[in-house]
């Protein structure tokens, strides 16, 4: 089935108000490539000003709590993101799984919270280098899918991002064959969990995606877009990835 490509930028813990100037070039590229969905996930403090300055661009969060309110100092709830104007939220990024000890069950709860408040959930999965070297990449990733994806998820609000941990910020990427194999395995596992809805779910690749490698990665079967870290911080580096997705 034809799935619209999605190119999403994850600014991680980078950027201040003055950095939002980069969004204008990204918004312009998004408008001129209307066949591609484009989103930027800045730090939570920048969501509302980003929405205000570039209303034509989809803005998202980088995490949300599984509960809607409560005594959770420092956390951000999905309805808060929605109120700020976010339309999507990344959940279960490997940096949060590692730094905050998030489990698959936590990630599933976060995805459900996102959906309760009308946000698309971008669930991240990916193996470490040790796991890949041990030949466990596919088993690790499909187990993360099984634990993190809510059985009630549908293609209109679920997005998966496959991000091998060892490819994030390193300039290294898997072979095209390895990407194809993992994305196919993810699609098959999604089918076990959500049935026919799996066909419509976008599966993004993330990890050192840039203007030079995006065309090759985006041409792989079952690669429906990218989740981009470093190269999303400037319009000059991000726009070529949008253009590659537009084909
Ligand atoms: P890089 O594109 O900087 O490797 O980061 C990928 C990532 O973690 C996006 O969520």
């Amino acid at each position: 089935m034809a799935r619209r490509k999605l190119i999403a930028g994850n600014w991680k813990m980078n950027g201040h108000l003055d950095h939002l100037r980069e969004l204008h070039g990204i918004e312009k590229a998004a408008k001129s490539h209307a066949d591609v969905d484009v989103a930027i996930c800045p730090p939570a403090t920048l969501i509302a000003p980003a929405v205000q300055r570039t209303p034509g661009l989809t803005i998202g969060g980088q995490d949300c709590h599984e509960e809607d309110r409560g005594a959770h100092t420092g956390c951000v709830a999905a309805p808060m993101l929605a109120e700020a104007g976010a339309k999507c939220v990344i959940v279960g990024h490997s940096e949060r799984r590692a730094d905050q000890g998030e489990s698959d069950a936590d990630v599933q709860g976060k995805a459900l919270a996102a959906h309760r408040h009308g946000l698309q959930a971008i669930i991240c999965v990916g193996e470490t280098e040790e796991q890949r070297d041990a030949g466990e990449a596919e088993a690790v990733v499909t187990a993360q899918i099984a634990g993190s994806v809510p059985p009630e998820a549908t293609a209109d609000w679920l997005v998966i991002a496959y991000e091998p941990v060892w490819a994030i910020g390193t300039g290294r990427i898997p072979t095209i064959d390895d990407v194809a194999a993992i994305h196919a395995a993810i699609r098959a596992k999604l089918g076990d969990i959500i049935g026919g809805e799996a066909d419509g779910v976008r599966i993004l690749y993330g990890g050192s995606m840039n203007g030079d490698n995006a065309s090759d990665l985006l041409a792989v079967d079952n690669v429906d877009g990218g989740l981009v870290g470093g190269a999303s911080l400037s319009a000059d580096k991000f726009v070529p990835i949008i253009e590659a997705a537009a084909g």
Side-chain angles (χ1 to χ4, degrees), residues 10 12 90 93 95 163 167-170 206-209 227-231:
N10 174 9
K12 309 190 180 185
I90 298 166
H93 192 281
E95 287 153 13
E163 300 201 303
I168 294 176
T170 60
S208 297
M209 185 180 266
L227 182 56
V228 183

Side-chain angles (χ1 to χ4, degrees), residues 64 77-79 81-82 85-89 111 113-121 157:
C64 67
L81 296 177
K87 300 284 184 244
C88 60
V89 58
H115 174 55
R116 280 199 301 279
H117 297 281
L119 303 172
Q120 288 201 326
W157 65 268

Side-chain angles (χ1 to χ4, degrees), residues 163-185:
E163 300 201 303
V165 176
W166 52 271
I168 294 176
T170 60
R172 297 162 57 206
I173 60 169
T175 66
I176 291 300
D177 285 351
D178 285 343
V179 173
I182 294 271
H183 278 242

Side-chain angles (χ1 to χ4, degrees), residues 43-190:
T45 51
L46 295 182
I47 292 173
V51 170
Q52 198 178 23
R53 288 186 201 192
T54 47
L57 195 56
T58 298
I59 302 297
Q62 299 177 10
D63 175 55
C64 67
H65 198 277
E66 46 267 54
E67 293 174 20
D68 292 350
R69 71 190 68 77
H72 303 291
T73 303
C75 297
V76 178
M80 298 169 183
L81 296 177
E83 186 179 58
K87 300 284 184 244
C88 60
V89 58
I90 298 166
V91 292
H93 192 281
S94 61
E95 287 153 13
R96 294 199 58 88
R97 289 178 185 261
D99 297 351
Q100 275 75 34
E102 290 182 3
S103 68
D104 288 334
D106 294 333
V107 175
Q108 184 173 146
K110 289 164 184 271
L112 286 169
H115 174 55
R116 280 199 301 279
H117 297 281
L119 303 172
Q120 288 201 326
I122 304 174
I123 296 181
C124 301
V125 295
E127 82 285 357
T128 63
E129 184 150 36
E130 295 71 40
Q131 290 164 334
R132 174 156 288 274
D133 290 347
E136 296 167 355
E138 197 170 305
V140 166
V141 167
T142 52
Q144 288 174 328
I145 292 287
S148 307
V149 171
E152 56 270 66
T154 54
D156 58 336
W157 65 268
L158 176 66
V159 176
I160 303 293
Y162 167 57
E163 300 201 303
V165 176
W166 52 271
I168 294 176
T170 60
R172 297 162 57 206
I173 60 169
T175 66
I176 291 300
D177 285 351
D178 285 343
V179 173
I182 294 271
H183 278 242
I186 291 172
R187 177 96 48 215
K189 179 53 76 176
L190 283 173

